[in-house]
Amino acid sequence: MNIYFPISHFDEESKPMIVNLTKVIPIHKIPHQRKEQLESYYNSIQDVIRKMIPEECEDIITKHQFKPEVCKRLFYKGITERTPLIKGEFYENDERTTLSITTLCKAKYTQEVGRFICDYFSKWLIPGKLMELSHVHSSEIQFEQFQKHSFFFFEMFIEIENKNHLESIKANLSDLIDELKLNILTVYHARRVLSVKTLTEEQKKIIIQENISELLDIPSKGYNHNLFEQMQHFLLKASSEEKILRIKDSLSPLIDLKPQIFERDLFNEIQKFILPAKKEFTLIRKLSYVTRIIAYSYLLRKRASFAFNSNPSSRFAVTKLLRTNLILENEIKPVLGILVGINYSSENEIFDERHLLAAIYSIIPDAKPVKDSTIHNKREYTGTRILYLEIEKMNDSFSSEEIKKLQVNLTQKVLSKIESVTNTVFMPRNEEEILRNILTLSNQLQFPTDLPQVMINYHSQQKSLLVFTVILVRIEYPNLKKIKKSKSSNEAVFIREKEEKQVGVIRKEYKKKAYILEICCQKKDYLRTDFSIDLNKARRDVFSFITSIGGDVRDFNGGMIAKQNEVLIELKRNLLQSNFTDLYILENFFYSFIPRFMQCILPVTALKHSFSFLLEALEHDFNQTIYFIKTITWEKYFIISVATINQSFKEFIEERISNLNFDSSSLATSYTNIHDIPILSYILNFSDPLQSEALLKTLVEGIKEWKNKLS
């Protein structure tokens, strides 16, 4: 069943010839049940193709119509040489105009061209406006009398409702079609060159560059730089696709050689890990190196997944360092690749490029990330995450000592940089509590000489701010500095909201006034190394800000906090003399002591002894002995630390210690979990040596029972 439409632009003698030459057949077989409908569809394609034939090919038919073989050979040669054929046509009616874009190009080496054409015209017909496609259809075809090559036919329709848009499209359509032709030709030539196995990478690069220059005719025509960049993008994509195919070939032997380690899902790692990277990634790295990254990422993912499935509540991290060179145009640059595999103990945890860089900077401060080298899996939460990043040094390579430091310390640093995300707090201000606090502070002012009273309470955190509610009650004197709302919110600390209330009079002359302030701090200034927020530091800065705008004040609810800060500062000073600089571990240790008031009254020397035991526990080899214990008696204080690598130890021991019934003011207990090592520290202020003996005996017997239970 063949139906042909009129061919108006050919003379009567040429029509039979063009009809025969433009008969098309599908490459794939037509289902018998749909044969009649699909034959009609391909007949319509034939009609469209006939309207697209270039004038040169028409002349060939007219000139050689009485020499069928010559006409046939020259006609198909002309079609092949002139593809891609692209035609734009407008169909107008009363309400709107429809634009038809028809394309015929070689099918080989032009994969995904249909998707690109849709994206290209929908985005660039009207720059800044996304045009909606009303109809799209395509097919891979062959000419019935010329089955040497296959072609890709594509047609799309776009409805244009705005007349101003129509005029703009008509003015720009010719240029857009020219650029589209160049893009398709560039990709075709690049992929064809890359498919030649006998050429080296450098030879392929030279041939591709020559083809681009010839296509663009850069010296004479001077096409704009954006077009060249767009084509360069397609070249990179084509080369990347070819390299990924070679990567698959290089991974196959791993499955055959080590089937117990590498399973068929190894190929999924390409989809999950390499494809999300920029196309330039595979171009400037050796094929063997990219294959290594995939293989190691697969192994790290399996290891992290196994750890997660074994103990979902625990956190696991493993790192791998890989030396390599980037193959740039003018140089070969040595870089260090870092592959990290972690599992999360909570779905609210995140770890990305900035966290890994923070871990690296803490070990090698002058390291620098390589641009566009980061690859990570952005899939929905599965319990594991693989992250790859490359670092370099300016005008230098990494020394053996630096690499060794990374090998020894990076895994623990990575664990300390995992960030826990919390939701912002919505909590309207409690006016009843505010009034009660104002009354409390007002009662503290009985004489004109009394210091202003301030109460600072943390209220909430927002996207980039920490918010404190501050109540300041003071006696108003003439010429006293006024408290004003801040004009800018870019300052480190600023007043966002202010409310004033008169709350009394002293000696019928001096007014007492209360200020209710909402003071904000920039959150980024108070992030600790694990990206938690240091509220104590933020509160100290808020207090300093208040004194800077209102003079000396009394911190009504900050007495214990001030004492804690004094003890911690003195402890830091003592440890800095011993060249200890990891304040993150120290702060975790100090603030973990309970009861909390013990943080204010424990002697700095006792805390220093206890902390030194903690550092020794972190260096202990638990493969030889599964627990660590150390004691010392200093003056009237008995100090003991115990550590294991099993989380069950803490509850087991604490249950036995609680049976001793020590007074809460005599026994301070600290529990820290650093690098997945649980450490229990005790500082006992004893009045009788039997108390310290009872504590030691309980711990030793508890360790024995725990070991037996564990066995």
Side-chain angles (χ1 to χ4, degrees), residues 445-471:
L445 300 179
Q446 301 295 329
F447 302 99
T449 55
D450 286 342
L451 277 176
Q453 304 287 314
V454 68
M455 187 179 289
I456 304 172
N457 292 309
Y458 167 73
H459 182 261
S460 64
Q461 64 166 307
Q462 298 172 1
K463 185 175 181 181
S464 60
L465 299 174
L466 299 175
V467 184
F468 290 84
T469 299
V470 177
I471 302 172

Side-chain angles (χ1 to χ4, degrees), residues 535-577:
L535 274 180
N536 268 342
K537 182 182 177 184
R539 190 188 187 283
R540 288 199 299 271
D541 287 356
V542 169
F543 181 76
S544 299
F545 175 75
I546 294 168
T547 57
S548 69
I549 62 173
D552 290 339
V553 297
R554 175 178 173 247
D555 190 351
F556 181 83
N557 64 336
M560 182 172 286
I561 295 174
K563 183 61 180 177
Q564 284 175 324
N565 290 333
E566 289 179 15
V567 176
L568 181 58
I569 290 170
E570 182 62 28
L571 180 58
K572 288 179 180 178
R573 188 180 295 115
N574 273 263
L575 290 169
L576 286 174
Q577 294 173 358

